[in-house]
């Protein structure tokens, strides 16, 4: 997940630091850059956190049928 999120943040002109701050402001948890990076590297990030990341990047998570 780390590579995908890093790629999207670069495309959107933002940083993982911004995402950590956004997550902190929009949830009841405290996020640091290091903590967020570890969650992404270990693939232990929750769906609710990924929804907030998508929101921060002005995107949405979409499930669709495989072709």
């Amino acid at each position: 997940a780390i590579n995908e999120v890093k790629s999207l943040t670069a495309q959107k002109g933002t940083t993982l630091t911004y995402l950590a701050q956004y997550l902190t402001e929009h949830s009841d948890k405290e996020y640091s850059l290091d903590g967020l990076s570890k969650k992404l590297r270990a693939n232990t990030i929750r769906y609710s956190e990924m929804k907030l990341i998508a929101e921060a990047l002005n995107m949405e998570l979409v499930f669709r049928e495989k072709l």
Side-chain angles (χ1 to χ4, degrees), residues 42-57:
N43 286 320
T44 58
I45 193 147
R46 294 174 179 247
Y47 177 70
S48 59
E49 293 166 324
M50 285 302 297
K51 282 179 27 181
L52 281 174
I53 287 171
E55 182 181 292
L57 297 173

